[in-house]
Amino acid sequence: MTPNKSWITPFMKQCFVTAAVGSNIIGHGCTIGFPAILLPQLQQPGSFIKLSSAEESWLAAVLGITQLVGSFITSPIMSRFGRRFAHFVVTIPVLVGWFTTILATNFEELLLGRILQGLSIGMLSPLRSVLIGEYASPRNRGAFLTTISLTQAFGIFFVHLIGSILSWQKTALICVFFSFVSLVMTIYSPESPSWLASKNRYEESREVFRWLRGNDEEDELEEMIQARMLYEDAAISLKAKRSESRFREMITTIKKKEFHKPIILMMHAYVMVQFAGGTTMAAYSTKIIKLILGPAANANFWMIVLDTQRLISNSVAVFVINKLKRRTMMFATGGLCVFSQIAISGYTYLRSEHALPYDAMWIPALLINLQFFTVATGMLPLPNVIGGEVFPLEYKSIGGTISLATMSVSFFLVLKTFPGLVDSVGVHGTYTVYSLMLCYCLLVIWILLPETKGKTLQQIEDEFRGRPLNRQELEEKEIFHSCPVLAYKRKMSMRRCSSHILH
């Protein structure tokens, strides 16, 4: 814990612990954007590492699988050993991964570095929400949670900027700085007061809570400790009352519309995110820019322009999403994204056939900027907003797990197949396939997505079910809400879910 200076306000302390998380996320953003500067440099004649097209796609796509694996590692660590220790553990693989990359002399070593970095990204995914949610005051939590998407976008921007000036080894060395700073800041950060309370270390929890929040939020402190005490008292009796027929209970749950409809909805929403173009642009920026704008275009310049636009659009999205209805925002940005992809496909096809009556650099530049604007403003943040709203409280955990798995697998498939797809059907064929996938996903979302803005979770759940709760279901819901164990878990779940809204 940092020294207790009178001039250091609780807000400044919360900024410090949030910055420790944010610095790590910047490093992970650098990891995501690194292939865009690594692969073009390895293709140059003087490169001492030669890669095939398949190997290049593995370096870009392997993060999708390893981050899925990593996401399952963190939960038991942070539950047993604490949030602070888990943050240490998360940072080690990305540091080793960067140094492995810097010293790499062949494809296998580069791949090992990417695997370690992907594990770290996956391990931080569930932890970052918990850290910010448990450290920050409710007054500041929303603002701090916006830093998740902004810091990742900044990391992508930063690695593309530095990589356009320096070699990939020097760029990787500079990127180590963010994770190292996060490690040092974590040393001086306290343990989460919520975790201390969960281990019955109530006095330590009170001390840390007051250090972070001051003395103005005693109600939340005592409520948290009381909830944990109730949790301990009720845990044994709740286990005894559990039904023995878990398989039958699982089948009944799957058949519920309020369970399977949101899952189908979110699976398509996260697949849509990957085909919208933000994922491929982060990893294959220079290649895509040259394919669309032409070989004479300054790919590094346009890469920085698009990254800057992403930062600005992410910031704008935080305010716009809170003003407009979800369906309006989804289908407005989705429709524009489909239009931009079809237009890019048509433009590049006509250009390849020398059938354009008029051509100028501003045409493809406008189209690619329009596509990137729709991705950063709506297509990327909206699924995370909706994901925090459509799952009933009872199913948020399993719904979030399935959503994460879908996102990771589709992330891998899109990046792994992109080079081969471009080689086989060209950039116009690739964008046609992507636009068709977007249309399919948007159609499913149109059918399944109710308007969620301004509605309670219960109202949203009733819309998926198609009717209000009957008497028996209402009694079961009341039991769920009144049970101390589930109430405590629900409170923690709500904190985590609030972070996904702004990620």
Side-chain angles (χ1 to χ4, degrees):
M1 199 182 301
T2 56
N4 189 17
K5 304 289 186 181
S6 58
W7 55 270
I8 302 178
T9 64
F11 176 74
M12 293 169 65
K13 295 171 185 176
Q14 292 170 44
C15 288
F16 179 83
V17 294
T18 301
V21 181
S23 185
N24 222 347
I25 298 173
I26 292 174
H28 289 168
C30 293
T31 297
I32 294 170
F34 189 65
I37 62 99
L38 170 69
L39 300 181
Q41 291 189 31
L42 294 182
Q43 293 168 356
Q44 293 176 358
S47 173
F48 61 91
I49 301 178
K50 299 296 182 182
L51 301 179
S52 66
S53 179
E55 289 172 336
E56 289 180 355
S57 66
W58 270 109
L59 290 179
V62 72
L63 293 184
I65 298 300
T66 52
Q67 70 181 4
L68 177 60
V69 175
S71 65
F72 293 102
I73 297 174
T74 314
S75 293
I77 295 175
M78 67 179 179
S79 296
R80 183 170 182 179
F81 299 104
R83 318 315 196 204
R84 184 168 173 265
F85 180 81
H87 201 190
F88 280 124
V89 174
V90 162
T91 310
I92 300 303
V94 72
L95 287 172
V96 176
W98 278 123
F99 284 114
T100 303
T101 300
I102 293 167
L103 301 173
T105 57
N106 54 51
F107 163 72
E108 289 76 14
E109 292 169 357
L110 286 173
L111 184 64
L112 176 60
R114 298 288 290 170
I115 289 172
L116 291 171
Q117 291 166 339
L119 282 173
S120 182
I121 293 174
M123 291 168 72
L124 187 62
S125 294
L127 178 63
R128 63 193 181 189
S129 308
V130 175
L131 284 169
I132 296 175
E134 294 181 358
Y135 281 139
S137 166
R139 294 193 301 268
N140 307 320
R141 193 171 293 143
F144 286 142
L145 288 169
T146 62
T147 63
I148 292 178
S149 58
L150 292 177
T151 49
Q152 182 167 302
F154 176 77
I156 295 173
F157 164 80
F158 181 83
V159 74
H160 287 173
L161 176 64
I162 299 301
S164 64
I165 303 170
L166 303 176
S167 69
W168 61 267
Q169 295 100 326
K170 291 178 180 177
T171 300
L173 183 60
I174 292 172
C175 291
V176 172
F177 170 79
F178 295 107
S179 298
F180 180 75
V181 167
S182 176
L183 186 70
V184 173
M185 294 179 76
T186 304
I187 294 174
Y188 292 98
S189 298
E191 181 52 81
S192 160
S194 298
W195 183 81
L196 292 170
S198 74
K199 297 302 178 183
N200 301 327
R201 293 159 61 176
Y202 300 124
E203 287 307 313
E204 290 180 67
S205 175
R206 288 187 175 95
E207 180 184 351
V208 173
F209 188 93
R210 288 166 183 154
W211 183 85
L212 283 167
R213 310 280 191 88
N215 298 316
D216 298 332
E217 299 179 19
E218 291 290 317
D219 289 345
E220 183 180 347
L221 170 63
E222 296 306 325
E223 181 184 317
M224 176 184 68
I225 292 176
Q226 184 62 30
R228 184 64 205 185
M229 289 178 174
L230 289 171
Y231 177 90
E232 294 293 335
D233 293 340
I236 297 175
S237 60
L238 183 68
K239 280 185 180 179
K241 293 177 183 177
R242 281 279 191 191
S243 170
E244 294 181 1
S245 180
R246 290 192 176 271
F247 180 75
R248 189 180 307 158
E249 182 182 345
M250 181 179 69
I251 296 299
T252 303
T253 299
I254 291 173
K255 289 181 178 179
K256 291 181 178 179
K257 291 181 180 179
E258 65 269 30
F259 174 78
H260 66 254
K261 278 189 174 182
I263 287 179
I264 295 171
L265 167 67
M266 293 313 302
M267 288 175 69
H268 283 81
Y270 281 117
V271 169
M272 177 193 69
V273 169
Q274 308 307 326
F275 283 97
T279 301
T280 49
M281 184 60 76
Y284 299 114
S285 298
T286 52
K287 180 175 183 176
I288 294 173
I289 289 168
K290 286 189 175 182
L291 286 170
I292 297 175
L293 271 64
N298 186 335
N300 289 329
F301 167 78
W302 283 106
M303 179 171 64
I304 302 306
V305 168
L306 291 171
D307 288 337
T308 304
Q309 190 211 98
R310 174 175 179 159
L311 275 173
I312 297 170
S313 299
N314 277 156
S315 303
V316 170
V318 173
F319 301 99
V320 174
I321 287 174
N322 287 331
K323 297 292 183 181
L324 298 180
K325 291 183 177 181
R326 307 290 187 249
R327 285 179 63 90
T328 302
M329 189 75 174
M330 173 65 76
F331 297 112
T333 56
L336 281 173
C337 191
V338 171
F339 167 78
S340 65
Q341 291 202 356
I342 292 174
I344 289 171
S345 174
Y347 171 81
T348 52
Y349 175 75
L350 291 175
R351 188 179 63 190
S352 67
E353 297 293 320
H354 305 288
L356 284 172
Y358 171 77
D359 192 15
M361 178 72 75
W362 67 265
I363 299 175
L366 176 64
L367 292 176
I368 200 170
N369 271 279
L370 176 62
Q371 180 200 6
F372 220 59
F373 172 78
T374 61
V375 170
T377 307
M379 305 294 280
L380 183 61
L382 269 175
N384 297 297
V385 175
I386 295 167
E389 298 173 328
V390 298
F391 291 115
L393 294 176
E394 298 94 317
Y395 311 131
K396 279 192 183 294
S397 179
I398 181 64
T401 300
I402 293 173
S403 297
L404 176 63
T406 304
M407 182 172 61
S408 298
V409 172
S410 56
F411 177 95
F412 170 78
L413 290 175
V414 166
L415 291 185
K416 186 70 181 72
T417 59
F418 178 79
L421 199 58
V422 170
D423 290 342
S424 59
V425 298
V427 66
H428 58 274
T430 302
Y431 268 74
T432 300
V433 171
Y434 282 15
S435 63
L436 291 174
M437 284 297 300
L438 281 182
C439 288
Y440 162 70
C441 291
L442 285 169
L443 177 61
V444 174
I445 293 169
W446 178 277
I447 295 169
L448 293 179
L449 176 65
E451 182 52 61
T452 60
K453 188 177 186 302
K455 293 185 179 179
T456 66
L457 294 179
Q458 186 59 57
Q459 289 172 332
I460 296 168
E461 182 181 336
D462 289 343
E463 287 209 40
F464 279 116
R465 189 186 300 105
R467 58 176 175 78
L469 292 167
N470 60 37
R471 182 182 295 274
Q472 181 181 351
E473 291 168 333
L474 191 59
E475 289 175 356
E476 291 174 355
K477 179 73 71 174
E478 288 174 352
I479 290 172
F480 173 81
H481 282 275
S482 63
C483 171
V485 179
L486 295 178
Y488 179 78
K489 287 184 175 180
R490 186 173 71 252
K491 186 178 180 69
M492 296 299 104
S493 175
M494 286 292 286
R495 285 183 179 178
R496 295 186 184 103
C497 289
S498 66
S499 72
H500 294 304
I501 291 177
L502 296 164
H503 169 44

